[in-house]
Amino acid sequence: EFFRELLENAERSLNDMFVRTYGMLYMQNSEVFQDLFTELKRYYTGGNVNLEEMLNDFWARLLERMFQLINPQYHFSEDYLECVSKYTDQLKPFGDVPRKLKVQVTRAFIAARTFVQGLTVGREVANRVSKVSPTPGCIRALMKMLYCPYCRGLPTVKPCNNYCLNVMKGCLANQADLDTEWNLFIDAMLLVAERLEGPFNIESVMDPIDVKISEAIMNMQENSMQVSAKVFQGCGQPKPAPALRSSRSVPENFSTRFRPYNPEERPTTAAGTSLDRLVTDIKEKLKLSKKFWSTLPYTICKDERVTAGPSVEEDCWNGHTKARYLPEIMNDGLTNQINNPEVDVDITRPDTFIRQQIMALRVMTNKLKNAYNGNDVNFQDTSDETSGSGSGSGCTDDICPTEFDFITTEAPPVDSDRREVEASATQPGWALQTLLVIVLSLVLQRQWR
């Protein structure tokens, strides 16, 4: 919501400012600027847009329009204007604004789009894994842990904490294997979040973009005579426009239409907040979710609705009677459950669905690392259509240090919807509640069988 509204505000601000400043001249050429924002929005939402090429095309089109406006006494053919656009880099008619803006826009949009894509992938992975059905061995172990005390005449005795841990580590063995890749994913998300707060801040790029483009136009106006002379030298002398041969110098009238913009008039803040506050909030939520999958058994087993708690070691149900639970606690992950005393776990058959989620996290982590360095990558957008095609880094070595070296890995695309990303989806309480409901409901369904 924030990023979309930010783009809408920037476009509205530019349009309002240029209507006031350039009047009819802008309105007659407004599609050049509308197309710029259309492409920026398309890139952000996952469209197949090369940012650098798109920005180069914007400045080339703007040069063509401006060149005609500052030379109204001539008629320019399409071929001639195409020749003019080829001089964009050589003449630098807009000063250094296009180069600086290209660096800022590419790295800011790459970071913003990849970060939101990361939030979506994290949410979807957590959502899918929380719905993985328990194995028959897990269901039997849960039944024994939660309901056998009733059969032994101990209805008020709750399971021992360590007993619960072995049951849950057996039940959640495959989920625990997510932990390593999940933690790397969260670390990469936090790094990109830092970029969003610093040099890749899309708000600081889009907020004043109207002023920057206006500055570029004024540079073009100030250098109009030199630019025109060099173009005429390179592209040839254009033909006079018959209707304006005898008119007075139109560029003088044209120059009076350009007025400096009042920088005090800024658009309203998007979504009622700022990017810094938003990222700070999301970073805290992300940090809370680190090691979530490996600590999930501990989170469940310390719940007073499930066990007697870590402090009660003697007066608890150990699977056989009311006494201390003696077996050692298993380590995390599938391979460590080979000797689990409570759950029969086939360590030779990893859950393929969870392995797919591990791969999805790995691919997303690589994309985040690329975005951290200011580099774009090809990735499937959320509607399974091909997305952004590597628009270079937009960085120099001193701006984007290459802390990460890795090979981008492609994997089956991760499906997700087009809803705005809910940052709260990464909070441990959300997935824990879901998992507890699933586990307990399955037990309740089978208790009378």
Side-chain angles (χ1 to χ4, degrees), residues 149 152-154 156-158 160 312-325:
R152 296 295 175 89
L154 303 169
T156 62
V157 179
K158 293 183 178 180
C160 299
V312 182
E313 296 184 358
E314 302 293 342
D315 299 329
C316 56
W317 172 251
N318 66 5
H320 302 282
T321 186
K322 179 182 177 182
R324 178 186 291 267
Y325 181 75

Side-chain angles (χ1 to χ4, degrees), residues 292 296 305 427-439:
F292 172 67
L296 192 53
R305 295 170 296 177
Q427 296 183 60
W430 167 81
L432 171 60
Q433 183 181 14
T434 304
L435 187 61
L436 276 172
V437 170
I438 293 170
V439 171

Side-chain angles (χ1 to χ4, degrees), residues 46-291:
N48 186 17
V49 178
N50 185 302
L51 284 177
E52 288 192 5
E53 291 180 2
M54 183 271 292
L55 290 169
N56 289 339
D57 183 62
F58 165 73
W59 292 112
R61 290 179 66 195
L62 186 58
L63 174 59
E64 291 180 12
R65 300 297 180 94
M66 289 285 298
F67 193 76
Q68 294 177 82
L69 290 173
I70 62 177
N71 293 287
Q73 66 273 40
Y74 295 107
H75 169 73
F76 300 103
S77 64
E78 290 297 322
D79 290 340
Y80 196 98
L81 290 175
E82 186 176 344
C83 178
V84 172
S85 66
K86 292 178 181 178
Y87 280 82
T88 308
D89 292 334
Q90 180 182 339
L91 297 177
K92 296 192 179 342
F94 301 110
D96 206 31
V97 174
R99 184 192 67 82
K100 290 181 178 178
L101 200 59
K102 183 192 296 184
V103 171
Q104 294 168 343
V105 167
T106 52
R107 67 189 187 184
F109 271 76
I110 289 167
R113 180 171 85 162
T114 309
F115 186 75
V116 172
Q117 178 79 0
L119 284 175
T120 305
V121 169
R123 178 191 66 192
E124 293 301 325
V125 167
N127 188 40
R128 288 169 182 160
V129 172
S130 71
K131 296 176 182 176
V132 173
S133 299
T135 63
C138 170
I139 293 173
R140 283 194 298 271
L142 285 169
M143 284 291 296
K144 179 182 177 182
M145 180 179 78
L146 295 175
Y147 290 97
C148 282
Y150 291 88
C151 304
R152 296 295 175 89
L154 303 169
T156 62
V157 179
K158 293 183 178 180
C160 299
N161 184 72
N162 290 353
Y163 173 35
C164 173
L165 285 175
N166 274 343
V167 172
M168 296 315 300
K169 287 198 175 195
C171 286
L172 300 172
N174 282 284
Q175 283 86 341
D177 285 343
L178 272 169
D179 211 52
T180 298
E181 205 60 52
W182 178 267
N183 292 338
L184 292 173
F185 163 72
I186 295 298
D187 286 339
M189 287 288 291
L190 290 170
L191 286 173
V192 176
E194 290 178 5
R195 289 295 206 208
L196 288 173
E197 290 178 308
F200 292 27
N201 188 316
I202 191 173
E203 186 175 28
S204 66
V205 173
M206 294 308 297
D207 199 24
I209 195 170
D210 47 7
V211 179
K212 294 175 182 177
I213 294 176
S214 180
E215 177 188 341
I217 291 174
M218 286 190 285
N219 284 334
M220 170 72 178
Q221 179 209 353
E222 292 169 1
N223 299 314
S224 60
M225 293 183 66
Q226 299 93 311
V227 170
S228 297
K230 290 181 180 179
V231 170
F232 293 161
Q233 183 179 357
C235 298
Q237 190 69 23
K239 297 179 180 179
L244 295 175
R245 278 179 182 169
S246 60
S247 68
R248 63 192 181 91
S249 178
V250 180
E252 291 179 6
N253 289 338
F254 175 67
S255 66
T256 63
R257 302 301 302 273
F258 287 81
R259 300 190 301 274
Y261 175 58
N262 181 3
E264 295 178 359
E265 300 177 19
R266 297 259 34 90
T268 57
T269 304
T273 185
S274 70
L275 184 60
D276 288 340
R277 288 196 295 271
L278 197 63
V279 172
T280 298
D281 180 58
I282 293 176
K283 281 169 62 178
E284 291 305 310
K285 290 183 170 72
L286 289 171
K287 289 174 183 176
L288 288 174
S289 69
K290 278 203 71 172
K291 297 184 179 180

Side-chain angles (χ1 to χ4, degrees), residues 18-38:
F18 276 38
V19 167
R20 290 194 306 269
T21 306
Y22 308 128
M24 189 59 66
L25 292 175
Y26 164 71
M27 288 185 278
Q28 291 172 344
N29 298 278
S30 61
E31 75 276 5
V32 176
F33 304 91
Q34 292 169 358
D35 290 347
L36 169 66
F37 282 95
T38 297

